[in-house]
Amino acid sequence: MRKIWICLIMFLPLIGKADGPKIVNIVNFIRLLEPRDAKITQDVLYQTVVKQVEIMQQYKLGGSFLLQYDALMDQRYQSLLKKLPRGEYEIGAWWELPQPLIEKAGLKWRGRYPWDWHADVGFSTGYTPEEREKIVDVYMADFKAIFGYYPRSVASWFIDAHTLNYMYDKYGIVASANCKDQYGTDGYTLWGGYWNQAYYPSRLNSYMPAQHAAQQLPVPVFRMLGSDPVRQYDANLGSKRQGVISLEPVYPKAGGDSTWVYWFMRELVEGASLAFNYTQAGQENSFTWEAMEKGFLIQMPLIARLRNEGKIKVETLEASGTWFKKQFKVTPATAFTVNNDLPGSDKKTVWYNSRFYRLNLLWENGQLRIRDIHLFDEKFPSVYTTQKATSNECTFFTLPFVDGYLWSKSDLFAGIRFKALVNGKEEIIQGGDPVVTSAGADKLRVSWPLQSIPGKLEMVISEKTMKIQLKGKVSWFLEMTTAGNMALPYKNIKPDRIECESEGMPYVVKAVSGNFSTLEGTAFRISPRSNVLTLDLSNGN
């Protein structure tokens, strides 16, 4: 009872903001079988979807049900989903590739089971571009024969660019979705991409946001699972595989916990977010109703209440994709802001995305660290666009400039820290609670009152640049530090720029105002000019 009251209190301050809409897609994707556990029978999986439908209808919540091919061909699922009102519910495709689909496309099945989650077998990355087109054609033909139309949304943990291009060019899909950012989880790495919300991908790389309309695939890719904006990034730091801290209702310390869920939804609604804010709720049936029931029954009434109060918009993935394309000719700037963390924590964070880069700010114990900066370049191809995966794991990366996960150790967190010269001694700047607000279509303003030195630090984060100004008479600078013996991308540090290279791709960060320098014990230092520091993060695009 006490936990319920805490959750209610957390929602008392909810008020409307001037940012764009807060969109929730309830997406449940469906597999026919689960070979990893004999107790999870086909009937258990089917009954899970029956319960999801029942609860969603109880709260008048529409959403998307995405079918893996083996489930698509099962008459029970066909009958269940055909009864759902087309305007409220969407039936689409879940792009994991089971044995019946592969064999109907005339290809040899190489999996260990009729459904195999390895990247070189159960995903489009495991097949040649020509084979992928055959697989798409089979799925689309059978889907249309059953439902009378082609699916408008196709999602998966990851889909290669060739497949997405083909689905759009031939079948006119309007939306896709891929996994949240994660490192090594289940053998799948998506690291450095457009954090949360949605983006138009490059025609050469489904994970890489495009910078120009001519080079983009005009199908928005939404990021799935409702990643914890504070803790997911550092989860299992130092290991090869991250844990999962997300809105998925099966996780007892996240999406299955009422305190976490109410906190997450409050920050989704209240934090500065620019063009729009977004999360995906729902769960794949493989986890079973028994495992997801508690979290599902926490989330659905809350989502319905927030919708009824006009604080969020609940719609299908197809509807969100259609809206996105009408609103944005290129990928917009967005943000996810956490003003107040879970009880017992003083952390605050801002994730900022544009079509040129992503940035993460993290406040903890009165200190500010730039935890992450990754640049985007539509000319950076993914190997999977033209080639088959040769491993049972799959990796997608962008261009790192600051990586607070890969360049850290448990006793030393990498990042750019804010320092000042106080009485001849270098000290990390201490401050109070930041105020984060939108300042136009693509601009985020951060105002951070300082405590260890007089003054206030102001930041304006925009589509191509980050401007930092300290309003006070003190010598200050930024320092980038990493844990030792890390492979870093910095090839040439000049006063006005840092030239980088990652996976054979060159890129650059420029100092428009201020300068870079090297210093023993740090990766680099950035000093302002006349108390102003401006970085160009557009990589010349």
Side-chain angles (χ1 to χ4, degrees), residues 30 45 79 81 209 249 257 270 294 299 365 391 398 403 413 415 425 427 506 520 541:
I30 303 170
L45 294 174
S79 177
L81 299 178
D257 176 74
E270 282 298 284
K294 178 184 175 183
Q299 293 183 26
N365 299 324
S391 166
T398 59
D403 196 316
F413 290 90
K425 183 180 179 182
E427 294 183 359
E520 187 175 353
N541 287 296

Side-chain angles (χ1 to χ4, degrees), residues 26-30 46 48-67 76-92 143 146-147 149 296 316 318:
I26 302 173
V27 180
N28 302 300
F29 54 91
I30 303 170
Y46 174 73
T48 296
V49 181
V50 169
K51 292 299 294 185
Q52 289 174 328
V53 170
E54 176 187 319
I55 299 303
M56 291 172 67
Q57 290 186 317
Q58 177 184 341
Y59 291 99
K60 297 181 173 58
L61 291 169
S64 300
F65 288 89
L66 308 183
L67 289 160
R76 291 193 299 177
Y77 289 113
Q78 295 173 16
S79 177
L80 175 67
L81 299 178
K82 280 181 178 180
K83 296 175 183 176
L84 298 177
R86 177 76 175 96
E88 301 172 33
Y89 296 89
E90 173 193 12
I91 315 303
F143 189 100
I146 294 164
F147 291 105
Y149 55 88
F296 211 82
T316 64
E318 174 189 357

Side-chain angles (χ1 to χ4, degrees), residues 27-313:
V27 180
N28 302 300
F29 54 91
I30 303 170
R31 301 184 180 111
L32 179 70
L33 48 84
E34 176 49 79
R36 294 171 289 191
D37 188 341
K39 296 178 182 178
I40 303 178
T41 64
Q42 291 188 26
D43 189 60
V44 168
L45 294 174
Y46 174 73
Q47 292 302 326
T48 296
V49 181
V50 169
K51 292 299 294 185
Q52 289 174 328
V53 170
E54 176 187 319
I55 299 303
M56 291 172 67
Q57 290 186 317
Q58 177 184 341
Y59 291 99
K60 297 181 173 58
L61 291 169
S64 300
F65 288 89
L66 308 183
L67 289 160
Q68 191 168 283
Y69 182 80
D70 48 8
L72 168 69
M73 304 307 292
D74 186 274
Q75 291 186 353
R76 291 193 299 177
Y77 289 113
Q78 295 173 16
S79 177
L80 175 67
L81 299 178
K82 280 181 178 180
K83 296 175 183 176
L84 298 177
R86 177 76 175 96
E88 301 172 33
Y89 296 89
E90 173 193 12
I91 315 303
W94 181 253
W95 209 246
E96 292 180 14
L97 313 179
Q99 184 174 359
L101 175 59
I102 297 305
E103 291 182 341
K104 190 166 183 179
L107 306 174
K108 181 180 179 181
W109 177 247
R110 297 175 276 108
R112 300 163 297 168
Y113 315 102
W115 166 64
D116 192 327
W117 52 93
H118 280 176
D120 57 342
V121 174
F123 292 87
S124 56
T125 49
Y127 301 86
T128 67
E130 293 76 15
E131 291 170 339
R132 295 171 203 172
E133 294 180 8
K134 293 178 181 178
I135 295 166
V136 171
D137 289 341
V138 169
Y139 186 101
M140 292 295 185
D142 285 344
F143 189 100
K144 187 174 184 180
I146 294 164
F147 291 105
Y149 55 88
Y150 293 126
R152 306 287 280 163
S153 299
V154 183
S156 182
W157 300 135
F158 47 89
I159 305 176
D160 68 278
H162 183 89
T163 297
L164 275 182
N165 288 331
Y166 187 70
M167 288 176 171
Y168 170 74
D169 292 337
K170 185 170 182 178
Y171 296 101
I173 65 169
V174 300
S176 186
N178 62 14
C179 186
K180 72 183 191 321
D181 254 42
Q182 63 181 34
Y183 198 88
T185 309
D186 296 326
Y188 316 142
T189 293
L190 298 90
W191 196 249
Y194 195 100
W195 195 90
N196 203 54
Q197 286 100 349
Y199 64 95
Y200 288 123
S202 161
R203 284 271 189 175
L204 301 178
N205 188 335
S206 58
Y207 184 62
M208 181 72 73
Q211 287 71 60
H212 305 93
Q215 301 301 321
Q216 72 188 14
L217 175 65
V219 174
V221 176
F222 291 81
R223 304 306 304 271
M224 298 182 71
L225 306 182
S227 185
D228 185 315
V230 176
R231 278 158 288 275
Q232 175 62 52
Y233 186 87
D234 294 324
N236 291 20
L237 182 66
S239 67
K240 293 182 178 180
R241 306 200 186 287
Q242 282 189 320
V244 178
I245 310 173
S246 73
L247 190 59
E248 294 170 272
V250 295
Y251 293 108
K253 295 183 179 180
D257 176 74
S258 57
T259 300
W260 189 96
V261 171
Y262 274 70
W263 162 79
F264 178 86
M265 294 302 296
R266 183 190 68 190
E267 300 304 310
L268 173 85
V269 170
E270 282 298 284
S273 58
L274 300 179
F276 71 105
N277 210 351
Y278 172 83
T279 195
Q280 176 256 319
Q283 188 79 67
E284 71 249 50
N285 62 338
S286 295
F287 278 106
T288 77
W289 181 247
E290 181 181 5
M292 76 179 70
E293 179 180 10
K294 178 184 175 183
F296 211 82
L297 293 179
I298 291 169
Q299 293 183 26
M300 295 303 118
L302 174 60
I303 290 171
R305 193 191 102 199
L306 293 173
R307 175 208 55 197
N308 294 343
E309 293 173 353
K311 296 187 172 91
I312 63 173
K313 182 167 64 171

